[in-house]
Amino acid sequence: MAMGLQVALKGLVGLLLLCVLPWAEGAKVLVFPLEGSHWLSMRDVVRELHARGHQTVVLAPEVSAHIKGEDFFTLKTYAILYTDEEYTQNLTQNVGLFFETGNYVKTFFRISEALKNMSVILFKSCTDLLYNKALIQQLNSSSFDVLFTDPVFPCGAVLAKYLQIPAVFFLRYLPCDMDYEATQCPNPSSYVPRLLTRHSDHMSFLQRVKNMLYPLALKYICHMFFAKYEILASELLQREVTFVDILSYASVWLFRGDFVFDYPRPIMPNMVFIGGINCANRKPLSQVCTE
């Protein structure tokens, strides 16, 4: 308990130093992103960290569609057993399923199968990393101050716990309300609408019932995707670890949301809403639009 609190406090202090004290000595930040739009969102933050004098190292598989070397970070890669073509095809061929509006049951099972295939690739990539003894030893000796990752790909969270580095999470949300569980945040079904229900925060009785039952189907997908990371973390740490234990290791949660766009919800002290940080500066509205 005391050790966990100490790690959380170190992570919070580290975040404050990164964001508030740009003139302080630069910190060493290990960045573990997820492919695609997750990385494109995180890249702007990495650029800002570099501008403030912090040393950032981005850890990524050597085969990647979007994560490429740039002048504001050091790219460190690790080998995976996939070619460029195999990796890109498996990650992109089923993207259109998430935008289909047809039969819900058929779409659900097709998405489940696509996520299953995708999870196999991501998990294999994670095991290739975590069992790379030479790389893990090198990361350990580098004495990073904080690990910055998107927990929707939980390998970064497992890595932070394995290396005992304070973790800062950068995310939009986690499926199956895992973010609520890991932060021990209140999650009342009476007015917090669940993902994909299309409810508002003013629900009828039947809508509240649906709001409680709807996530049960998603639990199957989450178990299929996340359970293997529990086993992997337990093997590495040599003790039984749950997925919630892995996520709760985070010191700070940075949510790419804002109550201007999302319905109000309870939050915990280490949950920070940063919606809009990826929006470029725009010109003010014209007088016609304002009227």
Side-chain angles (χ1 to χ4, degrees):
M1 179 70 177
M3 179 63 70
L5 180 59
Q6 184 179 9
V7 171
L9 289 175
K10 285 183 178 179
L12 184 57
V13 171
L15 180 69
L16 291 174
L17 288 175
L18 292 179
C19 299
V20 181
L21 302 177
W23 59 85
E25 182 181 354
K28 297 185 67 175
V29 184
L30 179 61
V31 182
F32 193 88
L34 177 60
E35 185 63 84
S37 61
H38 298 270
W39 161 241
L40 298 180
S41 297
M42 184 179 285
R43 185 174 59 182
D44 290 340
V45 180
V46 176
R47 182 185 287 108
E48 181 63 25
L49 289 174
H50 173 77
R52 290 172 179 255
H54 305 295
Q55 179 183 349
T56 54
V57 176
V58 174
L59 184 63
E62 61 183 9
V63 175
S64 175
H66 295 91
I67 306 173
K68 309 297 181 183
E70 299 191 51
D71 58 1
F72 55 89
F73 63 82
T74 300
L75 179 62
K76 178 176 287 294
T77 61
Y78 57 93
I80 60 173
L81 298 178
Y82 292 99
T83 65
D84 283 305
E85 293 76 15
E86 291 172 331
Y87 184 79
T88 302
Q89 180 182 4
N90 280 288
L91 287 183
T92 61
Q93 65 181 351
N94 294 308
V95 171
L97 291 175
F98 295 93
F99 301 96
E100 290 188 0
T101 57
N103 183 279
Y104 171 77
V105 176
K106 291 183 179 179
T107 302
F108 172 79
F109 283 107
R110 291 179 65 189
I111 290 177
S112 298
E113 186 63 25
L115 289 175
K116 181 179 179 180
N117 295 334
M118 187 184 302
S119 69
V120 171
I121 295 176
L122 294 176
F123 183 72
K124 184 62 174 68
S125 172
C126 185
T127 55
D128 290 341
L129 165 65
L130 294 174
Y131 282 106
N132 187 332
K133 294 184 179 180
L135 178 58
I136 294 297
Q137 184 176 2
Q138 185 179 2
L139 295 175
N140 252 324
S141 61
S142 298
S143 301
F144 288 101
D145 297 296
V146 66
L147 189 146
F148 185 45
T149 187
D150 187 331
V152 75
F153 177 32
C155 191
V158 176
L159 179 62
K161 194 172 181 68
Y162 186 37
L163 298 178
Q164 296 185 335
I165 303 174
V168 174
F169 286 170
F170 179 82
L171 68 158
R172 182 66 178 88
Y173 53 76
L174 286 179
C176 309
D177 299 329
M178 289 292 188
D179 44 357
Y180 290 94
E181 291 187 46
T183 55
Q184 300 184 27
C185 183
N187 188 22
S189 298
S190 57
Y191 72 90
V192 177
R194 298 294 181 262
L195 179 66
L196 302 179
T197 59
R198 299 182 181 179
H199 289 162
S200 72
D201 56 343
H202 292 77
M203 291 175 276
S204 66
F205 174 75
L206 291 179
Q207 287 176 329
R208 293 179 185 181
V209 173
K210 177 185 176 183
N211 202 47
M212 294 182 64
L213 298 178
Y214 197 82
L216 296 180
L218 297 178
K219 290 290 185 181
Y220 166 75
I221 297 179
C222 290
H223 177 75
M224 174 183 65
F225 186 78
F226 294 129
K228 60 188 70 176
Y229 290 94
E230 293 184 349
I231 299 174
L232 177 60
S234 298
E235 292 175 353
L236 291 170
L237 300 173
Q238 298 183 351
R239 57 186 173 84
E240 187 174 351
V241 178
T242 67
F243 187 64
V244 173
D245 291 334
I246 297 170
L247 294 178
S248 62
Y249 180 78
S251 301
V252 180
W253 296 64
L254 303 178
F255 287 90
R256 298 193 310 273
D258 193 277
F259 290 156
V260 173
F261 303 103
D262 300 317
Y263 294 112
R265 49 170 276 192
I267 61 172
M268 300 299 281
N270 64 339
M271 300 168 68
V272 183
F273 284 80
I274 56 171
I277 65 168
N278 301 113
C279 298
N281 294 326
R282 300 298 183 186
K283 296 180 180 180
L285 291 174
S286 66
Q287 186 66 30
V288 176
C289 294
T290 304
E291 292 177 356

